[in-house]
Every structure is written in C-alpha cells, then in structure tokens.
Amino acid sequence: MPELRELKVHGFRLRAAAAAAMFGSDFIAVSRGLRELSLPGAGLRLRDVRLLAGCSWRLEELDLSSSGNAGLGSTNARGLAALIASPTFELRRISLRYCDLTSASILALANAHWPLEDIDVYGNDLSTAGPALAALANHKGLRRLDVGYCRLGAASFNALIEADFPALTYLAASQARLQYPTFGAAAFARFPVLEELVLDYSRIA
C-alpha cells in the first residue's frame, strides 16, 4: 500500500465518531508516514485535539484553522497545550487562523519545542499580545509570520518589530495600527533578511 504523507480535509466537520476513527490506531497503522495534516473547519473539540496529540505521526505541518475548531480557543488552552506536549510532532509549519487564540496561546507557541519556520495566526484578536508576539523570536529559524487582521495596536506592533528575527523573510501584519517615527527607516533593523512586508489596510498615526 502506498505510504500516505499528506492529508487535507477542508471544510468537513468531524463528528466524534469520525474523529475517533481518523485519530485511532487502525488509520494510524496505514498512515505512519504522514507528515502534513490539514483540517481547517473540522470543528475539533477538546477530546478530538487530545486524540490528535496522542497520535504517533511525526507531523511537520499542521493546519487547524477556523473558529470551528473550538478545542483550541481561549476557553480550551488545554488543547493547544496537548498538541505542544506531543512526543512525536516536530512541526515546522502551523496554521491556526481564526482559532480564538489569546496572548497565552501565542506565548505557548513561542515556548514550544518545535523547530518552527512558519507560523500563521491570522484573524485572532492579539491586540494586547505584544510581549507574547515578541517571544516568537525564540524560534530563531522562523522564516514566515502572519499576524494579519489580529488587531495589532501600536504597542503590540512595536514590541514585535523590536524583537530579533534573524531568519524572517516574510511578515504580514495587515490592519495593524502603526506609529511614526517608531515605524521609520530603522524599524526593521532586527529583521536582517526580511524580503516581504504586508501591511494591507494598516494605519500610520
């Protein structure tokens, strides 16, 4: 049987029985080589996230975007904690768009043991998450960061760009509130290899 390395199930809500089957031993047995899993809009509950975290997959890429994944939101920080505690996941890329993340969620990602290169948390309210966003600099190999439409205020944005991101080539912070002169010529001195900056619909005071 061919070895499954990538699984994408978009916009399909997993009910309890389906989640139990997908993250159960029978399916894991025929998908041991899985490295990329994409389940946006799957409506994962806390118990589902815990089942996923207990899988033996050596995942490198994980997409659990959409507010439907209630097992990861502000009321279920234990879900994200369970993922981070997975003994087999070695994530290089994670996408948690519209998952109702908080400052604590971002700080947990910042302290995760994964070798993260790409973090996408677009569409979460991180307006007061400046220090947590700056802590993402713990991942020295981070190349892409998307905090677009996260309602970043000037303080949060400044905290982010004052951190050292030596490998970051792409930063998206759409709809942020920026402040001049902090957002000036020297604003990205700590982003030595930045190539692409996305500031759609942002405001400069």
Side-chain angles (χ1 to χ4, degrees), residues 16-110:
M22 175 173 285
F23 306 139
S25 58
D26 288 347
F27 183 69
I28 292 172
V30 297
S31 58
R32 296 188 185 281
L34 195 68
R35 296 294 181 267
E36 300 178 28
L37 178 63
S38 183
L39 296 172
L44 299 186
R45 295 154 294 272
L46 178 57
R47 63 176 178 271
D48 305 327
V49 176
R50 283 174 166 167
L51 286 173
L52 168 59
C55 292
S56 58
W57 293 321
R58 303 188 67 83
L59 290 182
E60 297 176 1
E61 299 190 20
L62 180 62
D63 183 354
L64 298 179
S65 297
S66 172
S67 55
N69 287 326
L72 293 166
S74 58
T75 58
N76 272 317
R78 291 172 295 173
L80 182 57
L83 288 179
I84 292 173
S86 168
T88 58
F89 292 3
E90 290 291 336
L91 296 183
R92 293 182 295 101
R93 178 182 182 274
I94 189 167
S95 181
L96 298 172
R97 292 187 166 209
Y98 297 110
C99 281
D100 194 24
L101 302 182
T102 64
S103 294
S105 308
I106 301 302
L107 191 58
L109 284 176

Side-chain angles (χ1 to χ4, degrees), residues 99-166:
C99 281
D100 194 24
L101 302 182
T102 64
S103 294
S105 308
I106 301 302
L107 191 58
L109 284 176
N111 293 319
H113 62 85
W114 301 323
L116 285 168
E117 299 175 3
D118 185 335
I119 297 174
D120 185 349
V121 290
Y122 179 105
N124 293 281
D125 185 355
L126 303 177
S127 53
T128 60
L133 290 169
L136 291 175
N138 291 344
H139 296 289
K140 298 303 181 185
L142 191 65
R143 296 185 298 107
R144 295 178 63 88
L145 176 61
D146 193 335
V147 290
Y149 291 89
C150 288
R151 302 179 64 183
L152 298 188
S156 292
F157 184 80
N158 289 347
L160 175 63
I161 66 172
E162 288 170 2
D164 293 305
F165 287 90

